């Protein structure tokens, strides 16, 4: 009986699971992408201050979200709305090590914020940056986040559209947003959107859904904007925006005939604000801006 037991045991699968070694190359690439990138992704929980029924201030849980390591100095990028109003921010790494994060700065207009944790250098595996200007509709994308508090979740999809516009927390329009169909749910906010090489191409920020859950309409702020905003927040704690101080409109058919130029050959100034950079430089209403810093302007959005 003992020999028979050993023979039967030898035929049964090992109780210790082993990784598959015969995955298709495309499957293995996704597995590698997740395993290489997930150590850069963090789980964020926040606490806010509320008054109880007796008027006393008490700390209460506010919500959860996602972030990712930006550099080897411990900076973490997330959405502004994930940490807005928080009095304490807790960051949990992939290995379940927890840190209380310092708030470095944020931009509600871009829905981006930067935190910092005091972690040892060996724990800081920053995400690899891509170039959102090179994206094309139809290419594969991957999102890692903590939807509904479920940590380290991978979803996939494609770039559904480019150059979308979404409304930021201040009512301002965030330009050049990436639309994607990967499942994005509450808790994914602030997490990385990756290309098939594991490079960061955006930060998952919003979904459009009547139910509040994913219906395949997600939006991510492009990494080139994230780079510009985050570097300023790390340096100065706030975003310094350039401005012209003009109201402009496109060159339509009527204006093209009037000024004897091509449709779309610039942007015409309708109003110049007092004491603005435009006013100080001598720009006037009905001036037409056709180039900026050597680059052709085909309308107000390009300007």
């Amino acid at each position: 009986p003992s020999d028979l037991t050993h023979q039967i045991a030898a035929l049964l699968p090992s109780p210790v699971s082993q990784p598959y070694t015969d995955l298709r190359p495309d499957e293995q690439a996704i597995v590698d992408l997740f395993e290489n990138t997930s150590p850069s992704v963090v789980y964020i929980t926040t606490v806010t201050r509320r008054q109880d029924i007796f008027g006393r201030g008490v700390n209460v849980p506010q919500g959860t979200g996602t972030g990712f390591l930006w550099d080897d100095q411990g900076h973490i990028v997330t959405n502004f709305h994930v940490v807005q109003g928080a009095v304490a921010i807790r960051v949990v790494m992939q290995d379940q090590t927890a840190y209380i994060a310092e708030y470095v700065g944020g931009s509600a207009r871009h829905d981006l914020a930067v935190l910092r944790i005091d972690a040892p250098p060996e724990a800081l595996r920053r995400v690899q940056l891509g170039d959102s200007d090179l994206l094309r509709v139809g290419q594969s994308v991957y999102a890692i986040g903590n939807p509904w508090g479920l940590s380290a979740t991978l979803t996939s999809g494609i770039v559904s559209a480019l150059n979308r516009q979404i409304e930021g927390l201040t009512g301002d329009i965030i330009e050049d947003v990436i639309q994607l169909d990967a499942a994005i749910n509450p808790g994914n906010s602030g997490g990385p959107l990756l290309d098939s090489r594991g490079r960061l191409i955006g930060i998952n920020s919003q979904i459009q859904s009547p139910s509040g859950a994913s219906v395949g309409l997600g939006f991510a702020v492009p990494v080139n904007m994230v780079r510009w905003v985050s570097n300023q927040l790390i340096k100065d704690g706030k975003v310094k925006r350039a401005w012209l101080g003009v109201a402009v409109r496109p060159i339509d058919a009527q204006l093209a005939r009037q000024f004897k130029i091509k449709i779309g050959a610039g942007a015409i100034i309708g109003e110049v604000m007092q004491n603005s950079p435009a006013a100080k430089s001598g720009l006037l209403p009905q001036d037409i801006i056709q180039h900026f810093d050597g680059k052709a302007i085909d309308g107000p959005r390009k300007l």
Side-chain angles (χ1 to χ4, degrees):
S2 111
D3 289 342
L4 181 59
T5 301
H6 288 306
Q7 291 175 24
I8 293 173
L11 296 174
L12 294 175
S14 169
V16 179
S17 61
Q18 299 294 327
Y20 287 109
T21 58
D22 58 349
L23 296 179
R24 297 194 316 266
D26 58 316
E27 288 182 294
Q28 189 61 54
I30 298 173
V31 171
D32 292 342
L33 179 150
F34 177 77
E35 292 182 349
N36 291 333
T37 309
S38 55
S40 303
V41 183
V42 303
Y43 179 44
I44 297 174
T45 57
T46 57
V47 171
T48 191
R49 193 77 171 168
R50 295 276 191 270
Q51 283 191 338
D52 64 15
I53 59 174
F54 303 106
R56 297 173 302 191
V58 293
N59 291 338
V60 296
Q62 176 176 266
T64 63
T66 308
F68 52 89
L69 290 163
W70 182 253
D71 57 25
D72 55 9
Q73 304 301 309
H75 290 109
I76 292 169
V77 174
T78 186
N79 279 140
F80 183 84
H81 76 260
V82 170
V83 297
Q84 184 179 19
V87 296
I89 304 169
R90 185 172 182 262
V91 168
V92 180
M93 310 285 279
Q94 185 196 41
D95 64 0
Q96 300 306 303
T97 305
Y99 299 90
I100 298 301
E102 169 196 1
Y103 179 78
V104 175
S107 172
R109 179 171 186 163
H110 302 95
D111 197 14
L112 295 172
V114 174
L115 315 174
R116 187 180 178 279
I117 57 173
D118 187 13
E122 60 271 17
L124 301 173
R125 186 189 293 188
R126 61 182 179 180
V127 71
Q128 181 184 0
L129 300 185
D131 186 347
S132 50
D133 288 344
L134 302 179
L135 293 178
R136 300 180 68 183
V137 173
Q139 75 176 74
S140 297
V141 293
Y142 303 88
I144 302 178
N146 305 296
W148 306 108
L150 300 172
S151 62
T153 299
L154 174 70
T155 56
S156 65
I158 62 169
V159 174
S160 302
L162 296 168
N163 303 318
R164 293 300 198 205
Q165 297 179 347
I166 59 174
E167 186 175 313
L169 298 177
T170 60
D172 293 299
I173 297 300
I174 304 176
E175 301 275 1
D176 300 324
V177 170
I178 305 162
Q179 180 184 329
L180 57 138
D181 71 348
I184 302 296
N185 286 288
N188 274 110
S189 292
L193 183 69
L194 309 166
D195 66 11
S196 59
R197 297 287 186 181
R199 295 171 296 209
L200 181 74
I201 54 174
I203 177 170
N204 301 310
S205 298
Q206 291 186 18
I207 58 173
Q208 194 170 96
S209 167
S211 66
S214 176
V215 292
L217 274 174
F219 300 94
V221 177
V223 66
N224 290 355
M225 181 180 294
V226 175
R227 181 190 288 111
W228 178 74
V229 172
S230 298
N231 288 340
Q232 288 196 65
L233 293 176
I234 291 170
K235 181 182 177 182
D236 301 314
K238 60 182 180 180
V239 175
K240 299 178 180 178
R241 292 185 57 85
W243 71 296
L244 296 176
V246 295
V248 292
R249 57 193 178 109
I251 304 296
D252 57 20
Q254 180 180 349
L255 291 171
R257 288 194 300 271
Q258 179 181 346
F259 293 99
K260 298 180 180 180
I261 57 177
K262 294 181 180 180
I263 297 175
I268 186 167
I269 297 176
E271 179 186 357
V272 178
M273 301 176 189
Q274 291 185 353
N275 299 318
S276 67
K280 294 175 182 177
S281 70
L283 288 175
L284 299 171
Q286 291 202 332
D287 282 347
I288 296 174
I289 302 175
Q290 293 188 301
H291 290 83
F292 187 94
D293 195 26
K295 298 179 181 179
I297 299 299
D298 60 7
R301 186 170 178 274
K302 184 70 172 180
L303 177 59

